[in-house]
Amino acid sequence: MKRWYLFPFSILYGIGVGIRNLMYHLGIKKSTRFRTPVICVGNLSVGGSGKSPMVMYLAELLSQKGRTGVLSRGYGRMTKGYGVVNYDSNYKTVGDEAMQLFERFKNRFVIAVCEKRVFGAKKLVEDMDLDFLILDDAMQHRAIRPGFTIMMTEYQDPYFKDFLLPAGNLRELRSGAKRANIIVVSKCPPTITDEDKKLYISKIHPSRKQKVFFSSIGYKETIMAANQKDHLPDNNLAYYDILLITGIANPKPLEEQIRKYNPNFKHLKFKDHHNFTDADVKKIREEFKKMGDYKIILTTEKDFVRLKSYESLRNNLYFWPIQTIIDQQEAFNRSILEYVRKI
């Protein structure tokens, strides 16, 4: 939804962002480069566009080739400074996105958080002797000049149809897409056709050096319990009353996935990165009590890292792991691996 009455403020915002980017382009503001291959995953808009699943995908790909690190700002955490995620960490100390990565992959690669990206990147690369570094949500952090940039844009709300804040949701001008090596149109519907793809590519108008890929959100075959040992096969959802809890920017893909197995569920929506309170948990428990004898609380992988700390929910709490499904996956992987081999 566009807020046209705020358009004059978007003009002022655009002037400010444009001057800032020009200063980096002219070298007036310093941008640090690294010898280690650095891949930035970001977008032009606020809100979810599939960055977290893409970071997971890249980290899993690159960790098979060398020592890999992921640096996140640690959005929503209650701490400051640099920190490496470990078994003593939780979402309050490192943020939900970093904790989500660690919960799934443990020590397969290094995950760190730092709001000062240059300092955090230098420390992570040097201390951990990394072969590759992935920057999560860092496209607007121009103080680091990545060697390779992947820009995400959502199929239902692409950047080329959006406007600058506060009238729209763009954090910078559409021309910022020119900095990307790869543009990924994310969360594509299963019904997308070759003609739809051609239309999107024409709207993006990539340069000769840019590549455009299309991806969708996929779900693992099993739904995991809070103890991560038990699981619930997805087709068993038809047997349960479901209370869906989400605190993400766009829960629609998960809603659509659940409807494939059970169209009747209760959904309690919270804002993105919501820190659940005792009052929220009380409300969840009250709604849960209203349901039948066979029932579960289902949530996202990101929300799980925040909800699992509440013992009153754990016995009934499940989450559905997600994955990025990339069209022309081999070509996408080849682009990433060719870049890291050149460095």
Side-chain angles (χ1 to χ4, degrees):
M1 182 180 293
K2 304 303 179 288
R3 302 167 287 271
W4 298 114
Y5 60 94
L6 295 174
F7 188 73
F9 297 100
S10 293
I11 296 174
L12 296 175
Y13 177 81
I15 292 172
V17 171
I19 292 172
R20 176 179 179 270
N21 283 341
L22 181 61
M23 292 177 73
Y24 276 110
H25 180 72
L26 296 176
I28 299 172
K29 279 183 170 289
K30 183 181 178 182
S31 189
T32 302
R33 302 194 71 163
F34 289 79
R35 292 183 178 179
T36 301
V38 176
I39 299 176
C40 167
V41 178
N43 60 358
L44 297 186
S45 63
V46 297
S49 59
K51 295 186 298 295
S52 294
M54 178 56 69
V55 169
M56 287 184 182
Y57 182 94
L58 292 172
E60 194 166 17
L61 173 68
L62 292 175
S63 62
Q64 300 173 36
K65 306 296 180 181
R67 188 158 174 78
T68 302
V70 175
L71 180 65
S72 170
R73 173 188 169 190
Y75 185 84
R77 63 186 173 129
M78 299 179 182
T79 59
K80 291 184 178 181
Y82 174 84
V84 175
V85 186
N86 55 47
Y87 285 97
D88 294 325
S89 303
N90 58 60
Y91 75 94
K92 293 182 180 179
T93 59
V94 299
D96 53 9
E97 291 171 342
M99 202 65 223
Q100 177 187 356
L101 275 171
F102 186 80
E103 289 283 357
R104 181 183 289 199
F105 297 104
K106 300 303 187 233
N107 293 317
R108 285 181 58 183
F109 47 85
V110 187
I111 306 159
V113 294
C114 190
E115 65 275 13
K116 295 181 179 180
R117 298 299 180 103
V118 175
F119 173 82
K122 286 181 177 179
K123 189 165 181 61
L124 182 56
V125 168
E126 294 171 2
D127 289 0
M128 300 299 175
D129 192 25
L130 297 183
D131 296 307
F132 320 114
L133 175 62
I134 302 168
L135 300 178
D136 183 14
D137 194 14
M139 197 163 175
Q140 283 72 45
H141 291 269
R142 303 294 304 278
I144 291 182
R145 184 180 297 180
F148 199 92
T149 297
I150 299 174
M151 192 192 94
M152 312 294 295
T153 186
E154 195 171 343
Y155 180 85
Q156 296 293 350
D157 191 18
Y159 76 95
F160 54 76
K161 289 184 178 180
D162 207 346
F163 299 91
L164 284 170
L165 289 166
N169 292 316
L170 292 184
R171 295 189 275 188
E172 62 171 300
L173 296 165
R174 298 175 188 176
S175 59
K178 295 178 181 178
R179 301 199 304 274
N181 300 87
I182 285 177
I183 297 174
V184 177
V185 182
S186 64
K187 301 182 182 180
C188 295
T191 55
I192 187 172
T193 65
D194 289 340
E195 290 301 316
D196 293 330
K197 294 174 184 178
K198 289 178 182 178
L199 176 62
Y200 267 68
I201 292 173
S202 69
K203 297 288 186 180
I204 291 170
H205 195 63
S207 68
R208 292 182 179 179
K209 295 182 179 180
Q210 288 181 313
K211 297 178 181 179
V212 179
F213 292 89
F214 295 82
S215 73
S216 59
I217 295 294
Y219 291 85
K220 300 285 187 177
E221 292 183 358
T222 55
I223 298 169
M224 302 302 298
N227 59 21
Q228 297 196 46
K229 295 180 181 179
D230 300 328
H231 65 270
L232 184 76
D234 52 17
N235 56 8
N236 279 1
L237 285 180
Y239 302 119
Y240 294 92
D241 286 344
I242 301 168
L243 179 60
L244 176 62
I245 309 297
T246 62
I248 58 175
N250 181 12
K252 287 184 179 179
L254 179 55
E255 290 178 319
E256 293 171 358
Q257 178 71 7
I258 296 172
R259 286 193 183 98
K260 294 178 183 178
Y261 304 96
N262 189 336
N264 301 311
F265 58 89
K266 173 74 174 181
H267 189 179
L268 294 182
K269 299 180 184 179
F270 297 86
K271 63 181 178 65
D272 195 18
H273 297 285
H274 180 71
N275 283 320
F276 292 96
T277 65
D278 291 341
D280 295 329
V281 172
K282 182 180 178 181
K283 181 180 180 181
I284 293 170
R285 291 179 63 190
E286 288 174 351
E287 290 295 334
F288 192 62
K289 287 178 181 178
K290 297 176 184 177
M291 294 181 165
D293 294 332
Y294 298 98
K295 54 190 175 182
I296 61 170
I297 300 172
L298 184 60
T299 191
T300 68
E301 196 168 1
K302 187 182 293 186
D303 293 310
F304 164 76
V305 301
R306 284 171 275 158
L307 287 170
K308 71 170 186 172
S309 60
Y310 290 94
E311 290 292 334
S312 61
L313 301 180
R314 284 183 64 85
N315 289 339
N316 301 292
L317 186 62
Y318 292 80
F319 67 96
W320 208 334
I322 61 175
Q323 58 186 344
T324 291
I325 300 173
I326 301 173
D327 190 31
Q328 298 183 325
Q329 183 180 16
E330 290 186 8
F332 178 86
N333 290 355
R334 186 163 55 249
S335 295
I336 303 301
L337 298 177
E338 284 177 355
Y339 157 65
V340 299
R341 289 183 187 126
K342 288 178 182 178
I343 302 300

